[in-house]
Amino acid sequence: MYEIVRRHLGKVVAGAAIAVTGTAVMVGITLPGTAGAEDGVRTGAAAGRGAGPAAPEGTDAGTDASAGSPPGPATMATAPPEGEKGVGTDPLTDDELRRAAELALTPPARAAQRDVEGSRGPQLLATELADPRPGEIDDPAAPRRAEVRFYDYERDELITRTVNLATGKVESAAAQRGVQPSAHPDELREALELILASKLGDGVREDYKDATGKALTSADQLWFNGDVYRPYREANVPAPLVKCGEHRCVRLVTKILNGSWIDTRNLIVDLSARTVTRVG
């Protein structure tokens, strides 16, 4: 009896193995992209499309007999020309962005204001289409307005002005201290320049040298991004950074172009005081 049962189980196991092997062979035939994988080279129409079933005899192997000829190369459609003025709630055009910034920069105040590099005039942060006023939402002839935000590093103030793009007038203006919107790319670049010019930038240069074998001599050799440093989110704020929030402070993330990351998250740049401080 034992010998009969043993022979029966052996047949069951052998049958299961054959079934699995057969399934694997079938999968190897029907799955796209597997045919010719061991050859290492794929040519003709199969290259780039994934190898399919073999072409029937008498047909061209480079042509899909069932789907017709392969599509031609992709082409980039030309964007339609942008007008000088948008309509309704369309995004601001390039011309409107430039005009809004010019209208918002009133000459008397501009002379006393400073940007992130210390040059005359405030630092442009952002320009956005302003919301329509009550009663203008469904009016197709309603004027388009732009809200322009600047930062004055001379007084550490956020300046917001709303300009009417139809009349060219500044309809409202406000200045606030202790308000820190997201950083502009120009501010982030200046922060990186300050890091590289400081003693704390030695570690960044060493990491770059270790990773590439080359010297880091310019901010152009790094990809960078970041945003405003907000001290109220930190457990222990070093003394040089207690004014961040009143001052304009940023934290960066950096990496080698097309390469590895360089950790600069522990370096906080006070753009108002133009200092670099290590945290953590």
Side-chain angles (χ1 to χ4, degrees), residues 11 25-26 87-88 113 128 136 185 201 219 235 251 255 260 267:
K11 292 179 180 178
V25 171
M26 182 173 64
V87 178
Q113 296 165 345
E128 299 173 349
E136 295 180 347
R251 165 183 268 154
K255 71 186 296 287
S260 58
L267 302 179

Side-chain angles (χ1 to χ4, degrees), residues 9 11 17 46 50 61 86 90 100 102 114 131 148 152 163-164 170 197 201 208-210 254:
L9 289 175
K11 292 179 180 178
D90 289 347
E102 291 171 358
R114 294 292 180 265
D131 292 332
V148 189
D152 177 15
V163 299
N164 187 316
V170 177
Y208 188 92
K209 179 77 172 181
D210 291 342
T254 58

